[in-house]
Amino acid sequence: MKITIFGSGYVGLVTGACFAEVGNEVLCVDIDEAKVARLKEGEIPIYEPGLEDIVVENLREGRLKFTTSIPEGVAFGIYQFIAVGTPPDEDGSADLRHVLSVAESIGRHMEDYRIVINKSTVPVGTADLVRQTIGTVLAERGKEIDYDVVSNPEFLKEGNAVDDFMKPERIVVGVDNPRTKELLRNLYSPFNRSHERFIAMDIRSAELTKYAANAMLATKISFMNEIANISERVGADVEAVRRGIGSDSRIGFAFIYPGVGYGGSCFPKDVQALERTARKHGYDSRILQAVEAVNNDQKLHLVSKIREHFKGDLKGRVIALWGLAFKPNTDDMREAPSRRVMEELWKEGVSIRAYDPVAMHEARRLYGDRQDLVLAENPESAAKGADALVVLTEWMVFRSPDFDQIRKSLRQPVIFDGRNIYNPEVMEQLGFSYYSIGRLARVAKLT
C-alpha cells in the first residue's frame, strides 16, 4: 500500500517507519528542509530506541522516503496521515493551525479518492473541521472528488514507541463509512494478527478516547503525588502505601509511582486541552483542573525541601542534577520537571552541574551557554564539588552508583531523590542526609 505521512516529528516518523517495516511504501512530508535532508541520510532528529535502525533499513530498501513537496505527498498515497503538532494555544486549548493547513493542502492538490487520517492528538470535532476545510477548497476548485476523514489516535509511549506501534494494545479507529473501516482494518492487519486489537467507533468517540486515556494516566500520577504529600505529613511511607493499593487488581501498579510530576509532550498539553474543551461546552471539569494544579506544584516540591535543608541559604551553592529528560529512554525535555527545578534554583543564585545520558544536547539547545549551568561528562563529575545531589529522572545508570565515591565527591552528603529510587535506611547507614517523596527525611548525624 502507498501511505503519505504529513509531519516527520515524533508521531509521524515512528508511524511512517513502522508502516514501511511491514512492507508498505511510505512517503513522509515535512516543510523543514534541513530535517528532511538529515532524514534522507538516515539521521533522525529524536532519540527513540530502535527507531534509527528501521529508518535506515527502510530507506535502504526504498520503502521509506522523505520530501518537502506537498503536491508529491498528496499524489502519492491513498492513505493521507496528518501527524503534525498541535501545541497549546495561549488559553491551553490545542492549536489546530497546522492540522487545518495540511487539510487545505490535501484539498488543493487531490485528484482522486483519499482517506484523510487524523493521527495528531486533536480535540473532539476536529475531523468535522478537516472535512469542512477539504470540502471548501474542493468547491473553490470546482471539483467533486470523494474522500473520507478518519480519527486514528496514537498511543505511543516515548522510549517504547516502536514496540507500541508494532505490538499495539489497541488500534482505535473512528469512522463513519463501513468501506473506510474495512480499508483501515486491512491497513493495520499486520499489527493485528495474534488477537483482535482493532476497535472501530464513531469519530468523536475516537477523538475523545485519546484525551481520556492520557487524562486518566495523568490523574493517577497526580493522585499518587497527593497521597505522597499526605504521607509526609502523617508519618507514613508512600512506597508501602503504593504496594498496598497496587496489589488490588482494580487499581494495579501502573502509573502510581510518586515523584516530581509528569512532563513531556502529551500529558500536560492533553490535560489542558481536554479541560478547555469541557469548559468550551459549558462543563467545569474540576478533576482535570486539580490534576494540572497538583502537577504544577509537585514539580517544585523538591525545591522546597532543598530550601528547607539549607535554611534558605542557597545563593552561591552548587547543585548536582541527575536527569534532564522528563523520563528515561528519551531526550525530550518538554515540560520536564528538571526545567522547573533548574529555573527556580537559578532565581536563588544556585549553579547547576547536570548530567543526562541522552538529553544533554537538548539542554544545550534550550539554555545555550550560561555560567550557572555545567553539562557534565558523567554522573560522577556532575557530583564533584556540589553541595547536594538531586535525582529527577530514573535512568538505570543512576540506580546503583558508587555511593562511597558520591559521598566523597559532594561537599555535603545530601541527596534529594525525586523518584524514590534509593532505600532511605541504606542512605542513612551510608551517611547521607536523604530526602525523597512521600517518606520521612533521613538526616545524617554530624561527626
Side-chain angles (χ1 to χ4, degrees):
M1 300 182 193
K2 291 189 173 182
I3 301 167
T4 298
I5 312 281
F6 286 95
S8 295
Y10 181 80
V11 173
L13 188 56
V14 172
T15 300
C18 290
F19 272 130
E21 180 72 1
V22 295
N24 297 293
E25 295 181 52
V26 179
L27 179 64
C28 292
V29 183
D30 202 290
I31 61 173
D32 187 332
E33 292 183 2
K35 181 194 288 186
V36 169
R38 289 179 58 195
L39 286 167
K40 286 181 176 180
E41 297 298 321
E43 299 177 20
I44 66 173
I46 57 175
Y47 177 82
E48 181 61 41
L51 180 58
E52 184 173 1
D53 291 342
I54 63 172
V55 168
V56 170
E57 171 67 18
N58 285 283
L59 274 170
R60 184 169 55 244
E61 296 296 327
R63 291 189 295 265
L64 179 63
K65 297 179 180 179
F66 298 93
T67 185
T68 58
S69 172
I70 292 174
E72 181 185 0
V74 176
F76 184 79
I78 185 175
Y79 299 97
Q80 302 269 307
F81 280 87
I82 301 178
V84 294
T86 54
D89 216 334
E90 291 183 4
D91 64 350
S93 59
D95 184 345
L96 297 176
R97 285 178 295 174
H98 302 308
V99 170
L100 297 181
S101 176
V102 173
E104 183 179 356
S105 296
I106 292 172
R108 187 74 57 198
H109 298 288
M110 64 186 287
E111 296 295 339
D112 50 15
Y113 176 70
R114 290 291 180 266
I115 303 174
V116 181
I117 305 163
N118 270 333
K119 200 71 173 172
S120 302
T121 301
V122 294
V124 176
T126 299
D128 294 337
L129 296 176
V130 169
R131 190 191 313 275
Q132 179 183 338
T133 300
I134 295 173
T136 298
V137 175
L138 288 174
E140 291 173 356
R141 294 174 58 201
K143 298 276 190 176
E144 290 188 9
I145 302 173
D146 192 20
Y147 65 95
D148 284 299
V149 177
V150 174
S151 174
N152 174 216
E154 53 86 13
F155 298 97
L156 306 177
K157 298 186 294 292
E158 290 193 46
N160 200 56
V162 172
D163 280 349
D164 285 345
F165 198 101
M166 301 299 289
K167 304 170 186 175
E169 292 180 331
R170 76 279 211 198
I171 302 164
V172 173
V173 173
V175 293
D176 57 7
N177 183 332
R179 176 188 63 174
T180 310
K181 180 176 75 172
E182 293 311 310
L183 286 170
L184 267 294
R185 188 190 298 276
N186 189 36
L187 176 66
Y188 275 105
S189 60
F191 313 100
N192 191 40
R193 296 179 66 84
S194 63
H195 64 274
E196 184 60 57
R197 300 177 175 93
F198 191 87
I199 305 172
M201 59 184 72
D202 65 276
I203 292 174
R204 286 183 171 241
S205 295
E207 290 173 329
L208 183 56
T209 296
K210 168 63 177 182
Y211 277 120
N214 279 353
M216 172 63 80
L217 298 175
T219 299
K220 293 183 74 173
I221 293 170
S222 280
F223 175 81
M224 206 63 205
N225 282 331
E226 284 274 65
I227 296 300
N229 294 338
I230 294 171
S231 296
E232 290 181 4
R233 286 157 176 79
V234 302
D237 182 339
V238 72
E239 293 298 325
V241 175
R242 179 182 63 80
R243 293 191 295 272
I245 65 174
S247 59
D248 187 327
S249 61
R250 297 169 300 175
I251 298 172
F253 286 101
F255 288 85
I256 62 168
Y257 289 83
V260 284
Y262 57 77
S265 63
C266 295
F267 287 6
K269 172 176 68 73
D270 293 352
V271 169
Q272 284 186 16
L274 184 55
E275 192 275 327
R276 297 333 181 251
T277 296
R279 188 187 305 172
K280 179 181 177 181
H281 288 80
Y283 183 73
D284 185 30
S285 179
R286 290 166 291 177
I287 289 179
L288 294 178
Q289 291 168 15
V291 167
E292 185 178 357
V294 168
N295 191 62
N296 287 335
D297 290 345
Q298 196 68 18
K299 289 181 178 180
L300 295 181
H301 190 54
L302 275 191
V303 175
S304 297
K305 292 176 182 283
I306 294 169
R307 284 197 191 101
E308 183 177 350
H309 175 83
F310 290 107
K311 298 179 170 55
D313 179 22
L314 292 179
K315 188 174 182 178
R317 293 194 182 275
V318 177
I319 298 294
L321 193 152
W322 285 0
L324 294 166
F326 84 95
K327 71 173 189 176
N329 297 320
T330 181
D331 60 355
D332 194 345
M333 287 181 63
R334 285 174 289 184
E335 301 288 337
S338 64
R339 297 178 65 175
R340 289 287 302 280
V341 170
M342 288 193 296
E343 289 163 12
E344 193 69 17
L345 290 174
W346 282 331
K347 293 177 187 177
E348 309 247 2
V350 172
S351 294
I352 303 293
R353 296 179 57 86
Y355 174 78
D356 187 283
V358 301
M360 304 286 269
H361 67 94
E362 180 66 4
R364 190 172 290 109
R365 184 188 71 83
L366 289 168
Y367 295 112
D369 293 325
R370 28 185 316 159
Q371 292 183 340
D372 51 8
L373 174 62
V374 174
L375 297 175
E377 294 183 357
N378 51 57
E380 293 75 24
S381 62
K384 189 173 183 179
D387 291 289
L389 169 63
V390 177
V391 182
L392 294 179
T393 313
E394 62 276 31
W395 286 95
M396 291 299 294
V397 71
F398 301 150
R399 291 181 180 267
S400 297
D402 184 339
F403 285 111
D404 286 337
Q405 181 182 345
I406 298 301
R407 189 178 65 251
K408 293 173 184 176
S409 296
L410 293 170
R411 291 179 186 169
Q412 302 180 39
V414 186
I415 295 178
F416 297 89
D417 181 0
R419 296 299 180 180
N420 287 5
I421 60 177
Y422 306 134
N423 184 300
E425 289 81 7
V426 172
M427 291 297 98
E428 185 177 29
Q429 292 169 8
L430 291 173
F432 287 95
S433 290
Y434 178 73
Y435 301 84
S436 54
I437 306 296
R439 303 184 291 189
L440 293 178
R442 303 297 178 108
V443 180
K445 295 180 175 62
L446 297 177
T447 57

